[in-house]
Amino acid sequence: MAASADIIDRCQHIFDDLHFRAARDWKAAVPGRFVVGYMPFYVPRELIHAAGGLPLGVLGGGDQLEVIHGDAYYQSYICRIPRSTLELAVTGRLDFVDAMLFPSTCDVIRNLSGMWKILFPKVRARYFDVPQNFSDHIGGTFYIHELTELRALLAELAAHAVTDDAIRASIALYNENRRLVRAVYALRARMPWQAPAAEVYLLMRAGMVLAVEEHNRMLDAYLEAAAAEKRPMRDNSRVVVTGAFCEQPPLNLIKSIELAGCYIVDDDFLLVNRWEKSDVPAEGDPIAALAGAYLHNSVNMAAKYEPDEERKGLHLVEAVRRTDAEGVIFACPSFCDPALLDRPMLQTVLARHNIPYIAFKYAENSGQMQPIREQAGTFADSIKLWSEP
Amino acid sequence: MSGSRTAEIVKEASMLKQKTMIAANYDLLAGAQATGRRVVSTFVPGNLNELIMCFDMVNNLPEINAIQNGMRKKSGPLIQEAEKRGHSEDVCAYVKADLGMIARGNIGPDGRALPPPDLLLLSYTGCFTFMKWFELLRQHYKCETAMLHVPYEGEGHATKAMIAYVVKQLREEVIPKLERASGTKFDIDRLRENLRESARAEEDFVWVLESAKHRPSPIDAYFGGVYYIGPIFTAFRGTADATDYYRLLRSEIAQRIEAGAGPITPDGKAHPERYRLVVEGPPSWPSFHEFWKMFYDEGAVVVASTYTKVGGLYDLGFRHDPDRPLESLAEYCLGCYTNRNLPSRIDLIEQYMADYQADGLLINSIKSCNSFSAGQLLMLREIERRTGKPAAFIETDLVDPRYFSPANVRNRLESYLQMIEQKRGAIAAAAA
Ligand code: SF4
Ligand code: SF4
């Protein structure tokens, strides 16, 4: 049995590698393979897999990438992920990527889809729309059409049809992936000292680069290893981190929150790997199954409309209850309209439910962790004070 | 899209008419609670004014309130009020100007209280912030909200599936909620009649925009243009008043063309045209006149602008069509400027540069607005590459006065105009 440290070492290596060698190797191993990059927050990875492609999560350059060219494309008041993503591409780090998908997260990612078309005409760049109307015969019909168009694009890349059987098989594999991801999250919520947030994050990041089959094995191994090892339990407070669904926080930020005395028991870092709240049906019409799952069984977040005012923000309250958390940390990227506009609404709901929170902003390359550590430390202390009888 | 000052300075009949129209709409809003008129709040891009009129509802446009407050220099404290209440300094200032105004008693730009909406009509065209904005208002007002999701033209065109999606939402989501909120039954013939009226005004509106192809241009298609779009982008499209306004405007401009005159400015003077520019991006409202003056003092005339297309690209041929009422509304929403992908936006600017014989492109990049701003530096490069003409970049904000630095803007503009001059000199030397 592999030790969790060995597994996490491998994940760290994948995380640090801004040339995506694991994905390059995957592509080179069999002629005809192709890679489809996607940005946060969600694309139906099953379809890419069913076509024989590798879905590659492109999540910016983190704090290790020096951004030179990317800054020439963006004003100072725009968040960092589009500029570091362009940097990755302009410097050839994404030269093995055959297509890029830009989900409808915000205006920045939306416009980046058009920039990609102009700057990298050989790459198939596509804005991937999702419905904001959740009726099957309205939003569902539209979404099925979007999925069908994506399926056609993937068939072109694959040079063969993407069959229903192949999609069903991929759905089953991704169901397994989601089950394992949820199991890791559940383990962390139960015993956060056994599965520290930085480890869980690295493990999930590896799933953005590795083929799903390999990631499933990795998750399985980690679950087994993490359960077997005994690690010291600290007297930390338990928090949910929210607002970080797109531009990713630096790994040090995640570590700093825990070092400051907060166990992260839930987060929204990489929602794509648990977007659907339970299994997507692997029988019947697979496109209809994916559409139905999006409409009726997916998580809430700022880029998705909440039709029912009464339900606005309750997902966060439910996350707090489900994970036994004691507070919420709003960690939002600077200049992130969706996250920052959503924040006051969510805070109102939390206040109504007497759930304490704090908020700060970050950039993927934030270096100074001291203020965040202090803020999180004070929060952890105050939670303990409040919870004392 | 109209301010208070210009009508005081310029006595053209069209300006006075527009001022009266706007004041009348604010009267309706101020009196809504007394008269029992139902109120719908909605956005400018992709607005459904012809449909709203079928239900006799009064149209309240939060963006217009923010603009009006901006032009009256009232927006700064409102934005700060919203920030004090936990709204981030990073997000769109229109939203904060609106939330700040509501927090301070919802006193509208004309000093009278605005009524709470009976319906929030969230037509989600060209900007993601709209959705958050109305979710915020919904949390405050707890009123009914109709979402109209208009898909983005990511591949540069509207597909049949997109049109069908919007039409279905109109039929099954928007119209029933309008019926409920207003207590009035939908009458499609009334909609057709309103659309027919819109199309009449749209013809004259396009004529006005295209008049800038003349030399000298009789209009400024940005600073003047924001007045010209007023009726057609807001609560008046589909009314006889709007049709009359554009007819009047057209006749005034026709006279200017005949006289070989340039645009009318707030100073009233004609300034000889020295530079013809295309402008991308919204203006800065609190410093609107100061900003404009920097241009006309130098003889710089804007001959085409993209901001005047946020509420529809009529000059590319779109007209509301009474024979296909709902489809036509869907196509209208889909085709608004910021709902078009970046390559289409760049193509459009390139086309304007040629059609309007422009000397260059100026981008006014707005801190608030990712929908416009993300990608503008690539636009600038592309336009320079494709046209060989110089482009320039200015950074300001829509309604947040903290982000308008007059000295910087003036310096940028002056050096840009010098650049155009040098380029002209070089071309003349090469030709000699
Ligand atoms: S960080 Fe926020 S604003 Fe930036 S691209 Fe992501 S969602 Fe958009
Ligand atoms: S982001 Fe831009 S388009 Fe959207 S509401 Fe703000 S100013 Fe308007």
Side-chain angles (χ1 to χ4, degrees), chain B residues 25-257:
Chain B
N25 198 57
Y26 276 115
D27 284 346
L28 288 176
L29 286 168
Q33 283 185 306
T35 57
R37 280 286 287 271
R38 301 297 171 89
V39 177
V40 58
S41 283
T42 196
F43 294 109
V44 168
N47 78 62
L48 302 169
N49 203 52
E50 299 87 347
L51 189 63
I52 291 169
M53 284 163 59
C54 295
F55 300 93
D56 295 316
M57 293 182 89
V58 192
N59 195 339
N60 183 22
L61 296 144
E63 290 157 292
I64 300 300
N65 297 333
I67 290 173
Q68 294 277 351
N69 278 326
M71 289 186 101
R72 289 164 163 85
K73 301 200 185 295
K74 292 182 186 170
S75 53
L78 302 178
I79 291 166
Q80 277 162 347
E81 178 74 45
E83 288 176 359
K84 257 201 326 231
R85 290 165 181 263
H87 297 277
S88 169
E89 62 271 26
D90 290 356
V91 302
C92 171
Y94 268 0
V95 183
K96 286 183 288 188
D98 190 35
L99 295 172
M101 182 178 82
I102 292 168
R104 290 188 170 188
N106 212 13
I107 305 302
D110 67 346
R112 291 181 289 176
L114 288 165
D118 296 287
L119 179 72
L120 293 165
L121 176 48
L122 201 184
S123 55
Y124 180 71
T125 307
C127 166
F128 281 77
T129 296
F130 289 151
M131 180 170 91
K132 297 288 109 186
W133 188 345
F134 269 16
E135 278 187 347
L136 281 156
L137 292 195
R138 184 183 63 177
Q139 195 177 50
H140 176 80
Y141 287 118
K142 309 277 179 217
C143 68
E144 178 128 60
T145 305
M147 155 65 103
L148 177 67
H149 174 210
V150 178
Y152 181 61
E153 292 191 353
E155 295 302 305
H157 56 268
T159 64
K160 280 190 184 144
M162 291 176 184
I163 296 168
Y165 175 44
V166 177
V167 167
K168 258 197 227 167
Q169 291 178 80
L170 287 172
R171 254 197 211 114
E172 300 187 30
E173 167 79 11
V174 175
I175 291 174
K177 286 190 172 168
L178 279 163
E179 285 185 324
R180 225 169 22 241
S182 66
T184 303
K185 198 123 195 62
F186 175 55
D187 174 358
I188 197 154
D189 290 327
R190 209 170 153 191
L191 176 62
R192 286 183 209 280
E193 200 35 61
N194 296 342
L195 294 170
R196 197 165 288 122
E197 195 68 55
S198 291
R200 284 184 202 121
E202 286 156 6
E203 282 299 325
D204 283 334
F205 174 57
V206 170
W207 184 93
V208 167
L209 292 175
E210 293 188 337
S211 71
K213 289 180 182 168
H214 286 268
R215 273 178 179 268
S217 170
I219 63 165
D220 185 291
Y222 184 55
F223 296 105
V226 300
Y227 292 94
Y228 307 149
I229 59 178
I232 211 153
F233 279 14
T234 65
F236 310 102
R237 201 182 59 236
T239 64
D241 256 348
T243 310
D244 293 346
Y245 167 82
Y246 286 103
R247 196 154 305 143
L248 194 58
L249 179 63
R250 180 174 173 160
S251 68
E252 289 163 1
I253 292 169
Q255 282 171 27
R256 266 184 255 160
I257 295 173

Side-chain angles (χ1 to χ4, degrees), chain A residues 39-40 78-82 105-109 245-247 333-339, chain B residues 370:
Chain A
M39 295 203 66
I78 289 179
C79 59
R80 193 169 150 99
I81 184 172
T105 313
C106 71
D107 296 319
V108 174
I109 291 193
F245 51 83
C246 182
E247 180 173 319
S334 294
F335 305 109
C336 177
D337 263 21
Chain B
N370 286 344

